[in-house]
Amino acid sequence: MSPLTLFLEADIVVKLVMLGLLAASVWSWAIILERSRLLARLKRETAAFEARFWNARTLEDIGGGKGDHPAAALFRAGLEEWKASTDGRSAIDREGVRARLASVMAASIDRSVSDLSDRLNVLATIGSVAPFVGLFGTVWGIMRAFIAIGQTQNTSLAVVAPGIAEALFATAIGLFAAIPAVIGYNRLLHLISRLEDRLAAFSAAFHAMLSRELDQEGGA
């Protein structure tokens, strides 16, 4: 009755169910670990970038916005739009520039959040589907147990135990795949939501800085 024995003695259908659930579990853990490391790195890089931003008095003090983290991408998007709207112009529509800056930076945040959330749908799918796949293996194993009873005309535990054990094992693997996926999905979604809020606060502060710079430019 060891797990390996239950797998080897299982029907081919139940074996396929178990293998599929194990593969889904490995896949979900790979996504959880990869996204967790990525979000931890982005959190550190964003904090360092924000520290430079809050200590800066002018755009030149911040630097070029190098880096592949969302805050740097947001900074570059806003700065590029600001330069495109102000360089070489004697008359500037301040309100139009401010509206375009807000739109560009909001789009940058949306792209970053969308990229970070790209694989979360896999975790959501595994978390919702895996228990039902395990249940299918359970039903199939119990069906085999009843078929064995009918063939042998024997209701002893020795006849029905293998099929029932396979069925319960398939259910256990389904839960083993689903529970970490659901927990990982909720945790990663929370971290991404916090990063989005942080980017929104940074965007508002950066927009205010650009507005102050804009007030020093020529006006329409």
Side-chain angles (χ1 to χ4, degrees):
M1 287 297 178
S2 67
L4 180 59
T5 301
L6 290 174
F7 173 78
L8 294 176
E9 297 296 329
D11 182 77
I12 184 62
V13 174
V14 181
K15 283 182 180 178
L16 291 175
V17 169
M18 292 178 181
L19 290 174
L21 291 172
L22 289 173
S25 179
V26 172
W27 192 8
S28 66
W29 275 109
I31 293 174
I32 292 170
L33 294 176
E34 186 270 336
R35 292 285 107 168
S36 297
R37 287 196 296 265
L38 175 61
L39 288 169
R41 177 177 65 82
L42 293 180
K43 181 180 179 180
R44 292 193 302 269
E45 293 177 348
T46 299
F49 187 84
E50 286 182 346
R52 294 198 304 272
F53 176 83
W54 293 115
N55 292 326
R57 294 186 177 181
T58 65
L59 295 176
E60 289 73 17
D61 295 337
I62 301 175
K66 296 180 180 179
D68 60 351
H69 53 88
L74 173 61
F75 177 82
R76 289 193 297 268
L79 189 60
E80 289 171 3
E81 178 59 36
W82 184 79
K83 289 181 177 179
S85 299
T86 59
D87 284 354
R89 300 191 181 189
S90 58
I92 301 173
D93 179 8
R94 291 191 178 95
E95 294 306 315
V97 173
R98 289 188 176 101
R100 289 194 295 273
L101 286 172
S103 177
V104 165
M105 289 190 284
S108 177
I109 294 175
D110 290 341
R111 283 194 299 270
S112 297
V113 172
S114 177
D115 291 341
L116 292 173
S117 305
D118 182 46
R119 299 182 183 179
L120 296 191
N121 63 321
V122 177
L123 295 180
T125 301
I126 292 174
S128 60
V129 172
F132 295 99
V133 176
L135 182 61
F136 171 76
T138 300
V139 173
W140 192 270
I142 292 176
M143 285 174 56
R144 287 192 64 213
F146 279 110
I147 291 173
I149 291 174
Q151 290 175 342
T152 61
Q153 298 295 316
N154 187 347
T155 60
S156 67
L157 186 61
V159 174
V160 300
I164 294 176
E166 295 166 12
L168 296 176
F169 190 48
T171 302
I173 296 178
L175 296 175
F176 177 78
I179 292 174
V182 172
I183 295 174
Y185 173 81
N186 291 328
R187 177 59 179 169
L188 292 174
L189 193 64
H190 172 69
L191 294 176
I192 292 173
S193 178
R194 290 187 61 182
L195 180 61
E196 183 179 8
D197 292 340
R198 191 167 189 170
L199 290 174
F202 175 74
S203 175
F206 186 38
H207 190 277
M209 175 180 282
L210 291 177
S211 294
R212 288 193 298 269
E213 293 282 342
L214 189 62
D215 288 339
Q216 300 175 8
E217 301 287 336

